[in-house]
């Protein structure tokens, strides 16, 4: 793809990454609870999820949504239900405490990876963003696979860096978050629940 097209896509990708969303909020929460090292699994799961969403968007789901609008309704409700479930899990999690890495709450890497992955692939707004905007940057006269590699890698690198920075800042603020106790969990969990409830009605 041309450098001009790529620069415009880069700006759009940065804008999307800096917009508050489920994966950024998940990185913030996991960074405070589990630390940056464990949150890497969450971030990598989200990266794979975004890779899947971009691939599906570029290679056909846009046409599917135009032909079968009901698919969009399913995506709305599935994504919203998962966010509500995730919010309940965060709400019920133990209060954040100032502790050493060895004393942090335990969670398997696969569990964190799985949460990041599902947060990305079940977010209808993210899917709609890629379905709506990716075609704007596609040049039909160039290799579609190569364009996919360029756009997907650009967005995923930006997203990984952004989420790791969010997780690192969250970890550094852990003493302050610890003083808030369960209120931090309830605030972040409640935000997930609100997004999950409102999401199907906003699209």
């Amino acid at each position: 793809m041309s450098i001009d097209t790529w620069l415009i896509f880069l700006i759009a990708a940065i804008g999307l990454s800096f917009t508050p969303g489920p994966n950024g909020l998940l990185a913030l929460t996991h960074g405070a609870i589990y630390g940056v090292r464990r949150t890497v699994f969450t971030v990598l799961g989200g990266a794979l999820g975004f890779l899947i969403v971009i691939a599906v968007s570029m290679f056909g789901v846009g046409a599917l949504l135009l032909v079968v609008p009901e698919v969009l309704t399913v995506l709305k409700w599935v994504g919203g239900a998962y966010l509500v479930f995730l919010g309940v899990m965060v709400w019920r999690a133990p209060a954040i405490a100032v502790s050493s890495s060895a004393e942090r709450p335990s969670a398997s890497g696969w569990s964190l990876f799985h949460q990041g992955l599902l947060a990305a692939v079940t977010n209808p707004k993210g899917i709609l963003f890629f379905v709506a905007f990716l075609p704007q940057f596609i040049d039909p006269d160039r290799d579609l696979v190569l364009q996919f590699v360029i756009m997907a890698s650009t967005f995923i690198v930006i997203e990984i860096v952004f989420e790791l920075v969010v997780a690192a800042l969250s970890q550094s603020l852990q003493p302050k978050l610890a003083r808030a106790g369960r209120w931090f969990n309830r605030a972040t969990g409640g935000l997930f629940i609100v997004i999950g409830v409102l999401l199907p009605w906003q699209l």
Side-chain angles (χ1 to χ4, degrees), residues 115-166:
Q115 290 184 50
L117 172 65
L118 288 181
V121 299
T122 60
N123 180 12
K125 282 190 175 180
I127 295 173
L128 287 179
F129 173 86
F130 290 116
V131 169
F133 283 91
L134 285 180
Q136 309 293 333
F137 303 99
I138 295 175
D139 185 345
D141 297 326
R142 297 175 185 261
D143 188 343
L144 183 61
V145 174
L146 183 57
Q147 292 179 77
F148 161 74
V149 171
I150 293 172
M151 286 191 277
S153 59
T154 297
F155 177 81
I156 289 173
V157 168
I158 293 171
E159 189 68 19
I160 287 176
V161 172
F162 172 73
E163 290 184 20
L164 288 178
V165 169
V166 167

Side-chain angles (χ1 to χ4, degrees), residues 66-143:
L66 292 176
V67 175
V68 188
E70 292 77 11
V71 172
L72 179 58
T73 301
V74 174
L75 291 175
K76 291 179 186 178
W77 290 104
V78 171
Y82 175 70
L83 290 177
V84 170
F85 168 77
L86 200 59
V88 172
M89 296 297 292
V90 172
W91 182 291
R92 298 176 59 185
I96 296 172
V98 179
S99 59
S100 66
S101 298
E103 296 172 337
R104 291 185 183 278
S106 60
S108 68
W110 167 248
S111 174
L112 299 179
F113 182 89
H114 191 245
Q115 290 184 50
L117 172 65
L118 288 181
V121 299
T122 60
N123 180 12
K125 282 190 175 180
I127 295 173
L128 287 179
F129 173 86
F130 290 116
V131 169
F133 283 91
L134 285 180
Q136 309 293 333
F137 303 99
I138 295 175
D139 185 345
D141 297 326
R142 297 175 185 261
D143 188 343

Side-chain angles (χ1 to χ4, degrees), residues 27-36 39 96 98-99 104 164-179 184:
L28 173 69
T29 305
H30 285 185
I33 296 176
Y34 305 111
V36 177
T39 305
I96 296 172
V98 179
S99 59
R104 291 185 183 278
L164 288 178
V165 169
V166 167
L169 290 175
S170 178
Q171 187 178 21
S172 67
L173 294 174
Q174 189 188 33
K176 295 181 180 179
L177 296 175
R179 287 196 290 270
F184 176 76

